[in-house]
């Protein structure tokens, strides 16, 4: 089965600082990868998804970006954080051989002050 | 517009009091309906996938059902450890559409 790693687990950053969140996947190859943001008490907002190396689809216009430098690595970045970027960031992996289930990582709690 | 709506937003039950959570969806080209459990501060944990109307899946005290417009998560004789937020998601092609979840609280 798949295992999704995310780090860091928690992060407190000042407004205007850069951001880099990393997600790596074990136990599968050529997965679809996803970044979600979850505000407190809310559902998951899809930010980016990727069907392969270097292929990124953006769902929400914002100051965040994503990259996929390797098959099982997905990075979420920002050059300058905003207060509104605070939230719980989740990486997810989907492999067609697993009948489309999406498996989630443990998440990163980001607080922008 | 593709979307998923869950109700109720919150549900408080006594231990042993059975109930159902609803997930209504309007998603074109549906390829699957998923249920997840999420504990506070953690990532969602996969529970079930349903692929066609009439399908049912069971796991311990949980049973998920699917129609052409909605899915239900039935909880039979819940225990306090079933307390969590339950999320449903409808998927078409590569995109998952998540509801905002139902926060379940089971009191002993």
């Amino acid at each position: 089965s798949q295992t999704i790693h995310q780090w860091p687990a928690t992060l407190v950053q000042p407004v205007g600082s850069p951001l880099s969140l990393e997600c790596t996947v074990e136990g599968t190859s050529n997965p679809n990868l996803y970044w979600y943001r979850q505000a407190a008490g809310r559902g998951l907002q899809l930010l980016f998804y990727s069907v392969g190396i270097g292929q990124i689809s953006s769902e929400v216009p914002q100051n965040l970006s994503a990259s996929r430098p390797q098959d099982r690595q997905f990075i979420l970045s920002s050059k300058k954080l905003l207060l509104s970027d605070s939230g719980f960031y989740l990486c997810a992996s989907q492999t067609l051989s697993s009948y489309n289930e999406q498996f989630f990582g443990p998440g990163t709690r980001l607080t922008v002050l | 517009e593709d979307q998923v709506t869950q109700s109720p937003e919150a549900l408080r039950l006594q231990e042993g009091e059975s109930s159902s959570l609803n997930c209504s969806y309007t998603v074109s080209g549906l390829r699957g309906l998923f249920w997840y459990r999420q504990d506070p501060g953690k990532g969602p944990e996969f529970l079930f996938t349903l692929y066609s109307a009439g399908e049912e899946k069971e796991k311990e005290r949980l049973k998920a059902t699917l129609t052409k417009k909605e899915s239900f998560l039935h909880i039979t004789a819940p225990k306090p450890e079933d307390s969590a937020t339950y999320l449903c998601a409808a998927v078409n092609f590569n995109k998952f559409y998540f509801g905002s979840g139902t926060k379940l609280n089971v009191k002993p």
Side-chain angles (χ1 to χ4, degrees):
Chain A
S1 63
Q2 301 181 41
T3 302
I4 297 102
H5 301 281
Q6 286 187 245
W7 63 89
T10 60
L11 190 60
V12 180
Q13 292 285 94
V15 169
S17 64
L19 173 73
S20 180
L21 302 182
E22 188 163 346
C23 169
T24 59
V25 182
E26 292 180 359
T28 188
S29 59
N30 196 30
N32 292 340
L33 297 176
Y34 302 77
W35 278 113
Y36 292 91
R37 178 169 59 205
Q38 187 176 35
R42 305 287 290 276
L44 277 67
Q45 178 188 32
L46 178 62
L47 301 176
F48 302 93
Y49 72 93
S50 170
V51 299
I53 295 174
Q55 301 179 61
I56 308 295
S57 295
S58 174
E59 291 298 304
V60 182
Q62 56 203 329
N63 69 320
L64 298 172
S65 62
S67 62
R68 186 170 177 175
Q70 300 180 47
D71 180 46
R72 288 172 289 178
Q73 183 185 29
F74 204 23
I75 297 172
L76 183 69
S77 304
S78 174
K79 292 182 179 178
K80 289 185 178 181
L81 284 168
L82 306 173
L83 287 174
S84 57
D85 291 324
S86 294
F88 191 48
Y89 288 82
L90 289 158
C91 176
S93 171
Q94 176 198 30
T95 305
L96 294 180
S97 62
S98 62
Y99 298 96
N100 293 322
E101 290 100 336
Q102 247 184 14
F103 295 96
F104 285 84
T108 294
R109 173 73 60 192
L110 172 65
T111 303
V112 182
L113 302 175
Chain B
E1 180 186 359
D2 295 323
Q3 64 179 9
V4 173
T5 304
Q6 289 188 247
S7 62
E9 290 186 9
L11 182 62
R12 298 183 69 176
L13 298 174
Q14 287 297 127
E15 184 173 2
E17 179 186 3
S18 302
S19 188
S20 295
L21 282 55
N22 177 264
C23 171
S24 299
Y25 62 91
T26 53
V27 174
S28 57
L30 182 76
R31 300 184 69 178
L33 190 293
F34 299 79
W35 283 97
Y36 291 86
R37 170 192 170 126
Q38 186 175 25
D39 293 301
K42 298 191 175 181
E45 175 188 345
F46 171 76
L47 291 174
F48 303 108
T49 309
L50 302 166
Y51 292 102
S52 57
E55 188 176 1
E56 297 183 355
K57 294 267 180 81
E58 286 190 67
K59 179 180 180 181
E60 296 180 353
R61 295 177 292 281
L62 301 177
K63 183 171 81 171
T65 61
L66 181 66
T67 72
K68 289 186 177 180
K69 294 183 178 181
E70 56 192 353
S71 178
F72 293 94
L73 184 65
H74 306 278
I75 304 176
T76 302
K79 298 182 178 181
E81 53 261 42
D82 294 322
S83 297
T85 295
Y86 291 85
L87 299 168
C88 72
V91 60
N92 64 359
F93 306 102
N94 293 320
K95 295 176 66 172
F96 282 65
Y97 298 88
F98 278 86
S100 56
T102 293
K103 186 174 182 179
L104 175 65
N105 186 4
V106 182
K107 294 291 189 181

